[in-house]
Amino acid sequence: MEETRGAHHVQSLDRGLAVIRAFGADAPELTLSDVARVTGLTRAAARRFLLTLADLGYVRTDGKYFSLTARVLELGYAYLSSMSLPEVATPHLERLSAEVHESSSVSVLEGGDIVYVARIAVSRIMTVSINVGTRFPAYATSMGHVLLADLPEAELDAYLEQARLDRLTSHTLTSEAALRTELAEVRSRGWALVDQELEEGLRSVAAPIRSREGKVVAAVNVSTHASRTTLEAVRDEMVPHLIEAAERIEADLAVAPSSRATRG
C-alpha cells in the first residue's frame, strides 16, 4: 500500500534523496541501471537526478559508474551543528550499553558535583534512581575523577580546599593525598575506575570527552554491579568499548559549535 503524502510533499526532493540513499558501504559505486533498480525510478529520471547531483558536487561519475563525493557530509553537518551534548551523546550511549549490557551515562562538572546530562539505563544497580539532572559528589565517582583530573592545578587546589571528602562506603577515598594520587593515575592512563566508593557493590569506569581544543568538557561512563562483573572484566571488556564511545562522541562534537555542543 502506497504511503499517503500531504499536499506539501515535494516528490522531486523525495526522489533525489532516494538516489543519495541508494549508495552505501556495500554499494559505493552504482551504474545508472543500478540506481534505477534500487530507487524504483525510470532510467531517464535516475539519469536526471544523478547528473543534477553531479552538477551540485554531491556525485561523481566516470561515464559508467556513479559514486558519492565527500560533499554529502555537509548534509549531516547541518544537523550535527545544531545539536547539544546530550543529543550528540545519546545514540552513542545506546550503542555502548548494547555492547556491554550495562547502563551508561554522560555528566559534566558543576561545582563539586557531577551532573548527569544523558543516560541510558539497562538495569537499576543503585539504591537511588539516576536521571538527567542527578548530582553526585565528584570525588567518589569515576566521571568525577575524569573531570577533576583535567582541572588546572589552581582549580583542583580550590576544589580540594572546599570539598568534604565524606566516607560514603568503606572504599571511599577520604584523604586529599590519596585522591590526588588517584587523579594523577587517571590523568596518565586516560580513564578512571571507581570500585564501590559511591555505593557498596557499584563499580564504574569513565573516560573523558574532549572538545576540539583538547579540553575535557564531559565524561562518559559505564556502571555495573560487583556481584556480576569482576575488576578484570571491567578493565578488559568494558574499557575498550568505553574509549571507543568517547572517541565517537568527540568526533561528532568536533563538527558542532562549542557554544551548543557542550550545553547540557
Side-chain angles (χ1 to χ4, degrees):
M1 182 177 178
E2 185 174 348
E3 185 177 352
T4 301
R5 304 291 189 182
H8 61 273
H9 188 74
V10 181
Q11 191 175 47
S12 59
L13 176 59
D14 188 341
R15 291 175 174 176
L17 292 174
V19 169
I20 292 176
R21 292 195 300 269
F23 297 90
D26 57 343
E29 293 185 324
L30 297 172
T31 64
L32 173 58
S33 296
D34 292 332
V35 173
R37 184 186 70 256
V38 172
T39 60
L41 297 172
T42 65
R43 282 175 53 87
R47 181 175 182 276
R48 289 197 301 271
F49 282 113
L50 284 167
L51 293 181
T52 298
L53 288 168
D55 290 342
L56 295 173
Y58 294 110
V59 166
R60 68 169 66 90
T61 180
D62 62 4
K64 179 180 180 181
Y65 288 97
F66 294 84
S67 60
L68 298 179
T69 70
R71 190 169 188 180
V72 297
L73 296 175
E74 295 177 357
L75 302 176
Y77 175 88
Y79 168 65
L80 288 173
S81 65
S82 68
M83 298 173 71
S84 66
L85 173 59
E87 293 169 320
V88 169
T90 296
H92 298 293
L93 292 182
E94 291 173 344
R95 175 175 172 180
L96 175 59
S97 288
E99 290 172 338
V100 300
H101 309 293
E102 298 288 359
S103 300
S104 61
S105 309
V106 167
S107 72
V108 296
L109 187 65
E110 187 173 291
D113 298 331
I114 61 165
V115 180
Y116 284 72
V117 298
R119 179 167 170 78
I120 299 298
V122 173
S123 62
R124 182 167 175 178
I125 57 177
M126 293 194 67
T127 56
V128 297
S129 177
I130 301 176
N131 302 297
V132 171
T134 295
R135 307 173 73 99
F136 288 123
Y139 73 91
T141 64
S142 61
M143 289 189 286
H145 286 189
V146 163
L147 294 164
L148 292 174
D150 190 63
L151 290 180
E153 185 174 355
E155 292 185 28
L156 179 59
D157 290 343
Y159 165 80
L160 290 171
E161 286 178 6
Q162 299 176 4
R164 290 182 49 186
L165 305 183
D166 295 329
R167 184 174 297 280
L168 304 177
T169 75
S170 60
H171 302 271
T172 308
L173 297 180
T174 57
S175 79
E176 178 179 326
L179 182 57
R180 284 185 181 275
T181 297
E182 175 61 23
L183 295 181
E185 293 180 3
V186 169
R187 198 176 301 117
S188 175
R189 68 174 175 251
W191 51 272
L193 172 61
V194 164
D195 183 22
Q196 307 179 74
E197 293 184 35
L198 179 65
E199 181 172 302
E200 294 288 350
L202 177 68
R203 286 176 174 153
S204 65
V205 61
I209 298 173
R210 298 181 183 276
S211 67
R212 285 170 291 186
E213 295 72 31
K215 177 178 174 57
V216 175
V217 295
V220 54
N221 92 329
V222 172
S223 54
T224 186
H225 200 277
S227 64
R228 65 171 177 261
T229 311
T230 65
L231 289 174
E232 291 74 17
V234 172
R235 296 188 188 98
D236 298 342
E237 299 170 18
M238 291 186 175
V239 169
H241 290 292
L242 178 71
I243 298 299
E244 290 174 3
E247 292 174 347
R248 291 193 296 267
I249 295 172
E250 288 176 350
D252 281 358
L253 289 179
V255 299
S258 58
S259 60
R260 287 183 56 87
T262 57
R263 185 186 67 191

